[in-house]
Amino acid sequence: MVELSEANAQFIAERFKALGDPMRLRLLQALRAGERSVGELAERTGGGQANVSKHLQVLLQQGYVDRRKEGTTSWYRITDPEVFTMCNLVCGGLEEELGRKRKLLRRR
Amino acid sequence: MVELSEANAQFIAERFKALGDPMRLRLLQALRAGERSVGELAERTGGGQANVSKHLQVLLQQGYVDRRKEGTTSWYRITDPEVFTMCNLVCGGLEEELGRKRKLLRRR
DNA sequence: CCACTATATTACCACATAGTCATGGAGCAG
DNA sequence: CTGCTCCATGACTATGTGGTAATATAGTGG
Protein backbone atom coordinates (compact mmCIF):
# COMPACT_ATOMS: atom_id res chain seq x y z
CA MET A 1 0.00 0.00 0.00
CA VAL A 2 1.03 3.55 -0.67
CA GLU A 3 2.33 5.32 2.39
CA LEU A 4 -0.18 7.84 3.68
CA SER A 5 2.08 10.88 3.75
CA GLU A 6 0.55 14.30 3.94
CA ALA A 7 0.83 14.77 0.17
CA ASN A 8 -0.66 11.36 -0.55
CA ALA A 9 -3.50 11.97 1.87
CA GLN A 10 -4.29 15.05 -0.18
CA PHE A 11 -4.26 13.09 -3.46
CA ILE A 12 -6.37 10.26 -2.14
CA ALA A 13 -8.83 12.65 -0.52
CA GLU A 14 -9.32 14.35 -3.86
CA ARG A 15 -10.01 11.06 -5.55
CA PHE A 16 -12.64 10.21 -2.94
CA LYS A 17 -14.08 13.70 -3.07
CA ALA A 18 -14.60 13.35 -6.81
CA LEU A 19 -16.95 10.46 -6.04
CA GLY A 20 -18.64 12.36 -3.23
CA ASP A 21 -21.33 13.98 -5.32
CA PRO A 22 -24.67 12.49 -6.39
CA MET A 23 -24.57 13.97 -9.87
CA ARG A 24 -21.11 12.57 -10.56
CA LEU A 25 -22.21 9.16 -9.33
CA ARG A 26 -25.20 9.28 -11.65
CA LEU A 27 -22.92 10.25 -14.51
CA LEU A 28 -20.72 7.24 -13.82
CA GLN A 29 -23.81 5.08 -13.58
CA ALA A 30 -25.04 6.42 -16.93
CA LEU A 31 -21.64 5.69 -18.44
CA ARG A 32 -21.74 2.13 -17.18
CA ALA A 33 -23.49 0.97 -20.35
CA GLY A 34 -20.90 2.56 -22.58
CA GLU A 35 -19.78 5.76 -24.24
CA ARG A 36 -22.10 8.76 -23.99
CA SER A 37 -22.04 12.34 -25.23
CA VAL A 38 -22.49 15.32 -22.94
CA GLY A 39 -25.97 15.94 -24.32
CA GLU A 40 -27.02 12.36 -23.73
CA LEU A 41 -25.66 12.48 -20.21
CA ALA A 42 -27.45 15.74 -19.50
CA GLU A 43 -30.69 14.21 -20.68
CA ARG A 44 -30.26 10.93 -18.80
CA THR A 45 -29.26 12.58 -15.53
CA GLY A 46 -31.66 15.48 -15.85
CA GLY A 47 -28.91 18.01 -15.30
CA GLY A 48 -28.12 21.22 -17.10
CA GLN A 49 -25.58 21.10 -19.91
CA ALA A 50 -23.06 23.38 -18.19
CA ASN A 51 -23.34 21.56 -14.91
CA VAL A 52 -22.88 18.14 -16.48
CA SER A 53 -19.90 19.40 -18.44
CA LYS A 54 -18.24 20.74 -15.31
CA HIS A 55 -18.79 17.54 -13.36
CA LEU A 56 -17.32 15.59 -16.25
CA GLN A 57 -14.20 17.72 -16.04
CA VAL A 58 -13.79 16.68 -12.42
CA LEU A 59 -14.15 13.00 -13.28
CA LEU A 60 -11.81 13.48 -16.23
CA GLN A 61 -9.15 15.18 -14.16
CA GLN A 62 -9.25 12.40 -11.57
CA GLY A 63 -8.94 9.84 -14.33
CA TYR A 64 -12.27 8.13 -13.71
CA VAL A 65 -13.44 8.84 -17.25
CA ASP A 66 -11.82 9.41 -20.61
CA ARG A 67 -12.84 11.67 -23.49
CA ARG A 68 -12.90 11.29 -27.26
CA LYS A 69 -13.76 14.24 -29.46
CA GLU A 70 -15.63 13.75 -32.69
CA GLY A 71 -16.72 16.86 -34.51
CA THR A 72 -18.36 19.12 -31.99
CA THR A 73 -19.42 16.32 -29.68
CA SER A 74 -17.38 14.89 -26.81
CA TRP A 75 -17.77 11.21 -26.04
CA TYR A 76 -17.04 10.21 -22.48
CA ARG A 77 -16.45 6.70 -21.16
CA ILE A 78 -15.34 4.95 -18.00
CA THR A 79 -11.57 4.44 -17.94
CA ASP A 80 -11.37 1.92 -15.12
CA PRO A 81 -14.40 -0.19 -14.12
CA GLU A 82 -12.61 -0.58 -10.78
CA VAL A 83 -14.58 2.45 -9.72
CA PHE A 84 -17.68 0.26 -9.53
CA THR A 85 -15.88 -2.07 -7.15
CA MET A 86 -15.58 0.89 -4.85
CA CYS A 87 -19.24 1.72 -5.33
CA ASN A 88 -20.11 -1.82 -4.39
CA LEU A 89 -17.99 -1.55 -1.26
CA VAL A 90 -19.72 1.59 -0.08
CA CYS A 91 -23.02 0.09 -1.16
CA GLY A 92 -22.28 -2.69 1.29
CA GLY A 93 -22.03 -0.01 3.93
CA LEU A 94 -25.22 1.44 2.54
CA GLU A 95 -27.09 -1.81 2.99
CA GLU A 96 -25.90 -2.02 6.60
CA GLU A 97 -26.97 1.55 7.07
CA LEU A 98 -30.42 0.88 5.68
CA GLY A 99 -30.66 -2.22 7.87
CA ARG A 100 -29.77 -0.14 10.89
CA LYS A 101 -32.43 2.43 10.02
CA ARG A 102 -35.06 -0.21 9.51
CA LYS A 103 -34.22 -1.57 12.96
CA LEU A 104 -34.50 1.87 14.48
CA LEU A 105 -37.88 2.38 12.86
CA ARG A 106 -39.14 -0.97 14.10
CA ARG A 107 -38.07 -0.07 17.63
CA ARG A 108 -40.63 2.76 17.85
CA MET B 1 -25.46 -4.08 -6.48
CA VAL B 2 -27.77 -1.52 -4.94
CA GLU B 3 -29.80 0.37 -7.50
CA LEU B 4 -28.50 3.89 -7.94
CA SER B 5 -31.73 5.77 -7.32
CA GLU B 6 -31.60 9.45 -6.51
CA ALA B 7 -31.82 8.76 -2.78
CA ASN B 8 -29.14 6.10 -2.92
CA ALA B 9 -26.85 8.34 -4.94
CA GLN B 10 -27.16 10.82 -2.11
CA PHE B 11 -26.29 8.21 0.53
CA ILE B 12 -23.35 6.83 -1.39
CA ALA B 13 -22.05 10.29 -2.18
CA GLU B 14 -22.02 11.11 1.51
CA ARG B 15 -20.09 7.97 2.29
CA PHE B 16 -17.47 8.90 -0.30
CA LYS B 17 -17.43 12.49 0.83
CA ALA B 18 -16.61 11.37 4.36
CA LEU B 19 -13.40 9.88 2.97
CA GLY B 20 -12.68 12.95 0.86
CA ASP B 21 -10.70 14.85 3.45
CA PRO B 22 -7.00 14.48 4.25
CA MET B 23 -7.48 14.87 7.99
CA ARG B 24 -10.11 12.14 8.11
CA LEU B 25 -7.88 9.83 6.09
CA ARG B 26 -5.05 10.46 8.52
CA LEU B 27 -7.38 9.71 11.41
CA LEU B 28 -8.32 6.38 9.83
CA GLN B 29 -4.65 5.69 9.22
CA ALA B 30 -3.86 6.46 12.85
CA LEU B 31 -6.66 4.13 13.94
CA ARG B 32 -5.29 1.35 11.80
CA ALA B 33 -3.08 0.14 14.63
CA GLY B 34 -5.99 -0.01 17.05
CA GLU B 35 -8.12 1.97 19.43
CA ARG B 36 -7.14 5.57 20.10
CA SER B 37 -8.49 8.41 22.22
CA VAL B 38 -9.30 11.82 20.81
CA GLY B 39 -6.26 13.31 22.52
CA GLU B 40 -3.96 10.68 21.09
CA LEU B 41 -5.41 11.22 17.64
CA ALA B 42 -5.04 14.97 17.93
CA GLU B 43 -1.40 14.50 18.85
CA ARG B 44 -0.66 11.93 16.14
CA THR B 45 -2.35 13.89 13.37
CA GLY B 46 -1.23 17.30 14.58
CA GLY B 47 -4.76 18.64 14.58
CA GLY B 48 -6.62 20.71 17.11
CA GLN B 49 -8.84 18.92 19.64
CA ALA B 50 -12.09 20.44 18.41
CA ASN B 51 -11.24 19.79 14.79
CA VAL B 52 -10.31 16.17 15.40
CA SER B 53 -13.47 15.66 17.42
CA LYS B 54 -15.63 17.03 14.64
CA HIS B 55 -14.00 14.92 11.97
CA LEU B 56 -14.49 11.87 14.16
CA GLN B 57 -18.20 12.65 14.35
CA VAL B 58 -18.34 12.53 10.56
CA LEU B 59 -16.58 9.17 10.45
CA LEU B 60 -18.79 7.95 13.29
CA GLN B 61 -22.00 9.01 11.60
CA GLN B 62 -20.98 7.27 8.39
CA GLY B 63 -20.17 4.14 10.34
CA TYR B 64 -16.48 4.03 9.48
CA VAL B 65 -15.49 4.17 13.15
CA ASP B 66 -17.05 3.17 16.43
CA ARG B 67 -16.81 4.79 19.86
CA ARG B 68 -16.43 3.48 23.38
CA LYS B 69 -16.64 5.86 26.32
CA GLU B 70 -14.57 5.29 29.42
CA GLY B 71 -14.68 8.01 32.03
CA THR B 72 -14.15 11.29 30.29
CA THR B 73 -12.22 9.80 27.40
CA SER B 74 -13.67 8.48 24.15
CA TRP B 75 -11.96 5.56 22.47
CA TYR B 76 -12.42 5.34 18.72
CA ARG B 77 -11.72 2.37 16.52
CA ILE B 78 -12.24 1.21 12.94
CA THR B 79 -15.52 -0.62 12.56
CA ASP B 80 -14.90 -2.19 9.18
CA PRO B 81 -11.36 -2.66 7.81
CA GLU B 82 -13.04 -2.80 4.41
CA VAL B 83 -12.40 0.92 4.27
CA PHE B 84 -8.73 0.18 3.68
CA THR B 85 -9.65 -1.94 0.69
CA MET B 86 -11.15 1.20 -0.77
CA CYS B 87 -8.06 3.18 0.12
CA ASN B 88 -5.96 0.60 -1.69
CA LEU B 89 -8.18 0.89 -4.74
CA VAL B 90 -7.81 4.63 -4.96
CA CYS B 91 -4.15 4.22 -4.14
CA GLY B 92 -3.94 2.11 -7.28
CA GLY B 93 -5.29 5.10 -9.11
CA LEU B 94 -2.79 7.20 -7.23
CA GLU B 95 0.12 5.07 -8.39
CA GLU B 96 -1.06 5.38 -11.99
CA GLU B 97 -1.39 9.10 -11.49
CA LEU B 98 2.14 9.34 -10.11
CA GLY B 99 3.38 7.21 -12.97
CA ARG B 100 1.71 9.51 -15.43
CA LYS B 101 3.30 12.52 -13.81
CA ARG B 102 6.73 10.94 -13.84
CA LYS B 103 6.30 10.29 -17.56
CA LEU B 104 5.28 13.87 -18.15
CA LEU B 105 8.35 15.08 -16.29
CA ARG B 106 10.63 12.78 -18.24
CA ARG B 107 9.18 14.10 -21.48
CA ARG B 108 10.58 17.59 -20.88
C1' DC C 1 -18.13 22.27 46.28
C1' DC C 2 -13.72 23.12 43.63
C1' DA C 3 -10.28 22.39 40.37
C1' DC C 4 -8.62 19.65 36.69
C1' DT C 5 -8.95 16.84 32.55
C1' DA C 6 -11.08 15.03 28.29
C1' DT C 7 -14.41 15.55 24.95
C1' DA C 8 -18.35 17.64 22.52
C1' DT C 9 -20.60 21.65 20.83
C1' DT C 10 -21.28 26.37 19.39
C1' DA C 11 -20.20 30.57 16.94
C1' DC C 12 -17.65 32.49 13.66
C1' DC C 13 -14.77 33.26 9.54
C1' DA C 14 -12.51 32.12 5.23
C1' DC C 15 -12.95 29.44 1.49
C1' DA C 16 -14.71 25.79 -1.66
C1' DT C 17 -18.39 23.92 -4.26
C1' DA C 18 -22.82 23.09 -6.97
C1' DG C 19 -25.93 25.15 -9.76
C1' DT C 20 -27.50 28.50 -13.33
C1' DC C 21 -27.13 31.88 -16.86
C1' DA C 22 -24.68 33.91 -20.35
C1' DT C 23 -20.95 33.76 -23.44
C1' DG C 24 -17.26 31.90 -26.39
C1' DG C 25 -15.31 28.70 -29.58
C1' DA C 26 -15.42 25.13 -32.89
C1' DG C 27 -17.33 22.09 -36.26
C1' DC C 28 -20.81 21.62 -39.88
C1' DA C 29 -24.69 22.37 -43.28
C1' DG C 30 -26.55 25.47 -46.43
C1' DC D 1 -20.18 33.93 -44.68
C1' DT D 2 -24.58 32.66 -41.87
C1' DG D 3 -26.81 30.15 -38.89
C1' DC D 4 -27.06 26.08 -36.19
C1' DT D 5 -25.47 22.59 -32.82
C1' DC D 6 -22.53 20.95 -29.23
C1' DC D 7 -19.52 21.70 -25.72
C1' DA D 8 -16.42 24.40 -22.48
C1' DT D 9 -15.76 28.31 -19.66
C1' DG D 10 -16.49 32.48 -16.88
C1' DA D 11 -19.41 35.25 -13.77
C1' DC D 12 -22.39 35.06 -10.16
C1' DT D 13 -25.07 33.40 -6.12
C1' DA D 14 -26.38 30.28 -2.48
C1' DT D 15 -24.95 26.77 0.26
C1' DG D 16 -21.59 23.73 2.42
C1' DT D 17 -17.18 22.84 4.68
C1' DG D 18 -12.73 23.11 7.40
C1' DG D 19 -10.39 25.38 10.92
C1' DT D 20 -10.17 27.74 15.35
C1' DA D 21 -11.42 29.91 19.65
C1' DA D 22 -14.58 29.90 23.25
C1' DT D 23 -17.82 27.55 25.88
C1' DA D 24 -20.50 23.58 27.63
C1' DT D 25 -20.70 18.96 29.54
C1' DA D 26 -19.17 15.39 32.23
C1' DG D 27 -16.13 12.43 34.93
C1' DT D 28 -12.50 12.37 38.72
C1' DG D 29 -9.88 13.47 42.69
C1' DG D 30 -9.30 16.48 46.54
Side-chain angles (χ1 to χ4, degrees):
Chain A
M1 171 173 174
V2 172
E3 188 56 39
L4 195 60
S5 70
E6 180 49 33
N8 284 351
Q10 189 72 40
F11 269 116
I12 300 176
E14 277 172 22
R15 286 188 65 82
F16 276 123
K17 208 184 310 185
L19 299 180
D21 180 89
M23 172 61 86
R24 286 196 287 270
L25 290 179
R26 278 185 287 154
L27 287 171
L28 290 173
Q29 175 74 11
L31 287 170
R32 204 163 188 173
E35 218 174 31
R36 293 272 181 268
S37 72
V38 177
E40 289 173 344
L41 290 170
E43 191 184 0
R44 281 167 186 263
T45 61
Q49 178 266 321
N51 196 25
V52 166
S53 181
K54 286 207 291 190
H55 281 298
L56 286 170
Q57 304 316 305
V58 175
L59 293 173
L60 184 62
Q61 201 204 333
Q62 287 301 319
Y64 288 118
V65 301
D66 201 0
R67 181 174 53 184
R68 177 176 69 87
K69 294 200 174 185
E70 187 185 42
T72 68
T73 104
S74 289
W75 297 94
Y76 284 86
R77 58 187 167 80
I78 303 283
T79 36
D80 188 359
E82 201 79 75
V83 66
F84 294 117
T85 307
M86 291 179 49
C87 283
N88 287 340
L89 282 175
V90 297
C91 283
L94 173 60
E95 279 162 354
E96 286 172 23
E97 181 74 10
L98 292 176
R100 230 162 38 82
K101 293 207 169 163
R102 275 192 289 269
K103 262 189 213 164
L104 288 174
L105 288 174
R106 248 180 279 138
R107 220 171 275 170
R108 299 192 180 168
Chain B
M1 172 172 172
V2 173
E3 188 56 39
L4 195 61
S5 70
E6 181 48 34
N8 284 350
Q10 189 71 41
F11 269 116
I12 301 176
E14 277 171 23
R15 286 188 65 82
F16 275 124
K17 208 183 310 184
L19 298 180
D21 180 88
M23 172 61 86
R24 287 196 286 271
L25 290 179
R26 278 184 288 152
L27 287 171
L28 290 173
Q29 175 75 12
L31 286 170
R32 204 164 189 173
E35 219 175 29
R36 293 270 181 270
S37 71
V38 177
E40 289 172 345
L41 290 170
E43 191 183 1
R44 280 167 187 262
T45 61
Q49 178 267 323
N51 196 25
V52 166
S53 181
K54 284 208 297 187
H55 282 297
L56 286 170
Q57 304 316 305
V58 176
L59 294 174
L60 184 63
Q61 201 204 333
Q62 288 300 319
Y64 288 118
V65 301
D66 200 359
R67 181 173 53 183
R68 176 177 70 86
K69 293 200 175 185
E70 188 184 42
T72 67
T73 104
S74 289
W75 297 94
Y76 285 87
R77 60 189 166 79
I78 303 283
T79 35
D80 188 359
E82 202 78 74
V83 66
F84 294 116
T85 307
M86 292 178 49
C87 282
N88 287 339
L89 282 174
V90 296
C91 284
L94 173 60
E95 278 162 355
E96 286 172 23
E97 181 74 11
L98 292 176
R100 232 163 36 83
K101 294 207 170 164
R102 274 192 289 269
K103 263 189 212 165
L104 288 175
L105 288 175
R106 246 181 279 140
R107 220 171 273 171
R108 300 194 179 167

